[in-house]
Amino acid sequence: MNVVTPKMSSVMFKYFQKALPMRIKSINEYKEPAFFDAMMAVVGPFLTPKIRSRQVLHGRSMVKIYEEIGQEVLPREYLPDEYSGKCAGTTSQIIDEMITSMNEKKFRDYIMDVSGDKYGVDVKIRKQDTTTMDASFRKLNID
């Protein structure tokens, strides 16, 4: 069982906020559990103000999600029939298919493989970057 230590948390926050190779425009949480507000109260101060401002909690309201990101962004083929006509089947059919596929041996073997200690980074042998950048590339003035 992996335990999240303060050092590991620090590395994860640095990766998420500074090294993740994608631009995060918003983080939309839907049907978040009751303890999520308490967890965000603890984790929030470690996030940059930019990331914190881009996090949106929707509770259980699909209307809020559609107002935030728009229904046209969600692919029709993945939406249950209850949301936009005949597409992927009813919600209960989709859940049953997912449970069936998750109980297959092939899926379980895959999850056991990727969640083991087989993959990872040994931070101790990683080359440390000793140079620091004082400006971003956007601010460089080139003659």
Side-chain angles (χ1 to χ4, degrees):
M1 178 180 192
N2 294 334
V3 177
V4 178
T5 62
K7 177 71 175 164
M8 182 188 289
S9 298
S10 172
V11 170
M12 289 183 340
F13 280 118
K14 284 180 186 175
Y15 172 75
F16 180 72
Q17 296 180 106
K18 296 182 180 182
L20 192 65
M22 66 182 184
R23 177 179 287 171
I24 298 173
K25 295 198 175 201
S26 70
I27 303 167
N28 292 280
E29 303 288 342
Y30 174 64
K31 288 187 178 180
E32 64 271 7
F35 68 86
F36 198 78
D37 288 331
M39 184 181 75
M40 287 311 299
V42 172
V43 172
F46 297 106
L47 297 173
T48 62
K50 187 176 183 179
I51 296 290
R52 236 180 297 138
S53 70
R54 291 181 177 187
Q55 183 167 15
V56 183
L57 303 177
H58 295 287
R60 300 197 179 285
S61 173
M62 287 298 288
V63 174
K64 283 184 171 181
I65 290 177
Y66 291 145
E67 287 173 359
E68 181 75 23
I69 63 173
Q71 190 170 0
E72 65 278 355
V73 174
L74 302 171
R76 282 185 46 90
E77 64 267 16
Y78 298 119
L79 290 174
D81 294 347
E82 293 91 356
Y83 290 114
S84 64
K86 299 287 183 193
C87 294
T90 64
T91 305
S92 59
Q93 289 172 335
I94 294 170
I95 292 170
D96 291 341
E97 285 177 27
M98 185 182 299
I99 290 172
T100 302
S101 67
M102 290 172 70
N103 285 325
E104 291 178 0
K105 182 176 177 4
K106 182 174 134 181
F107 179 81
R108 295 179 71 178
D109 290 344
Y110 170 75
I111 294 298
M112 294 301 288
D113 180 49
V114 297
S115 63
D117 293 335
K118 182 177 176 181
Y119 303 103
V121 175
D122 188 355
V123 180
K124 294 175 188 165
I125 63 173
R126 184 175 65 191
K127 180 182 173 187
Q128 297 297 320
D129 184 16
T130 57
T131 62
T132 59
M133 292 181 58
D134 294 331
S136 72
F137 289 106
R138 293 181 194 169
K139 296 179 182 176
L140 290 177
N141 294 323
I142 299 174
D143 293 329

